[in-house]
């Protein structure tokens, strides 16, 4: 054996490894997501197990739902902590809220808790005559994220001033005036929605949300079974026997035990045994009927050849 083990050269080994990785997951490369991003590059995130090898962000709603369900089972069976599960649920609820804010920036709720820094932010805004509590919730939330980005995570006074002087007034203008009271539960036509909008806040931990994801999964309809009684899909069916028929067939069996017993043993299922005895019964009742005769010979032939 050479320095490459059982491989001819390094290229051979790399080719083998790539093919092995593909076939291990049904032809799907699970080493990276590979979705095209807006920047024109390929997404390098780790794919989730669900779906066709994309990451959680790119896998689509069905795979994401399956991913959540697997996570829920992991939580219920103790494989992941309650804290981790709550964090994931909060992330999902925050994503939903952000999506809804695109349509209605006045929808109450928030996705970030600044903690102690909230007071500092409020003081800074008060000095400029801005009251966070009267801002559209979507804008206030965006403002808190910008504050964290430009004042806490890293210091960028110029970026923060741009936020206050240009971006904040623009966002408030685009959000439009606060709708009339109770408007959270009003649609654009002014008619009340059948379900009032419920929102997520860091305090409530997503207990009150508008998502159907919080409903338990519905059980699937049972699989349709083909065949009648014997669970042999796609084979000729044998009708189940009534008690009376069974009695008469067993009497027939005892009467012709010498011939039938070896064939009986060769039968692979209850259905085959029933078919064997029925064929014999019908043949004895009408030995000249070619259909009955053929059926009996076929059943007997199966028994003898096995
Ligand atoms: Zn991706």
């Amino acid at each position: 054996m050479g320095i490459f083990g059982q491989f001819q050269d390094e290229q051979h080994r790399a080719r083998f490894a790539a093919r092995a990785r593909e076939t291990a997951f049904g032809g799907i490369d699970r080493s990276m997501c590979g979705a095209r991003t807006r920047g024109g590059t390929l997404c390098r995130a780790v794919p989730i197990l669900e779906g066709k090898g994309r990451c959680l962000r790119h896998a689509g709603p069905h795979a994401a739902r399956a991913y959540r369900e697997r996570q829920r089972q992991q939580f219920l069976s103790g494989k992941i902590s309650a804290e981790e599960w709550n964090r994931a649920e909060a992330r999902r609820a925050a994503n939903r809220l952000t999506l809804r804010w695109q349509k209605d920036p006045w929808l109450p709720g928030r996705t970030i808790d600044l903690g102690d820094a909230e007071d500092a932010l409020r003081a800074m805004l008060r000095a400029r005559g801005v009251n966070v509590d009267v801002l559209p919730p979507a804008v206030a939330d965006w403002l808190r994220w910008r504050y964290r980005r430009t004042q806490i995570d890293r210091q960028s006074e110029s970026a923060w001033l741009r936020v206050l002087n240009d971006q904040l007034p623009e966002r408030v203008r685009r959000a439009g005036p606060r709708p009339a009271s109770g408007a959270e539960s009003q649609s654009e036509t002014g008619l009340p929605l059948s379900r009032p909008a419920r929102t997520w806040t860091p305090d409530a931990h997503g207990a009150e949300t508008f998502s159907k994801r919080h409903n338990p999964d519905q059980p699937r309809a049972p699989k349709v079974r083909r065949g009648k009684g014997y669970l042999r899909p796609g084979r000729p069916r044998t009708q189940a026997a009534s008690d009376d028929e069974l009695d008469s067939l067993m009497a027939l069996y005892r009467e012709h035990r010498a011939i039938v017993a070896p064939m009986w043993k060769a039968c692979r299922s209850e259905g085959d045994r029933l078919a064997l005895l029925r064929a014999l019964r019908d043949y004895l009742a009408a030995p000249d009927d070619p259909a009955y005769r053929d059926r009996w010979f076929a059943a007997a032939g199966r028994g003898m050849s096995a």
Side-chain angles (χ1 to χ4, degrees), residues 164-187:
L164 291 179
N165 293 332
D166 308 332
Q167 295 165 356
L168 178 59
E170 171 64 14
R171 288 198 175 231
V172 170
R173 190 187 61 73
R174 260 190 291 159
R178 177 192 287 274
S181 67
E184 302 88 271
S185 56
Q186 303 261 317
S187 67

Side-chain angles (χ1 to χ4, degrees), residues 138-152:
V139 177
D141 199 67
W142 164 83
L143 192 59
R144 289 192 180 95
W145 279 108
R146 291 313 296 162
Y147 180 78
R148 181 166 131 180
R149 182 71 180 250
T150 60
Q151 298 290 301
I152 300 174

Side-chain angles (χ1 to χ4, degrees), residues 87-99 110-111 199-201 205-206 209-211 213-214:
R87 207 164 44 234
E89 284 289 273
R91 183 72 255 159
R92 286 186 273 263
N95 287 343
R96 280 195 300 275
L97 182 55
T98 308
L99 209 61
R110 49 199 271 194
T111 67
T199 52
W200 180 90
T201 65
H205 272 303
T209 67
F210 37 75
S211 173
R213 285 187 177 182
H214 290 267

Side-chain angles (χ1 to χ4, degrees), residues 100 104 106-108 179-187 193 195-197:
R100 285 175 61 111
D104 181 8
W106 286 96
L107 207 61
S181 67
E184 302 88 271
S185 56
Q186 303 261 317
S187 67
L193 296 169
R195 275 202 310 175

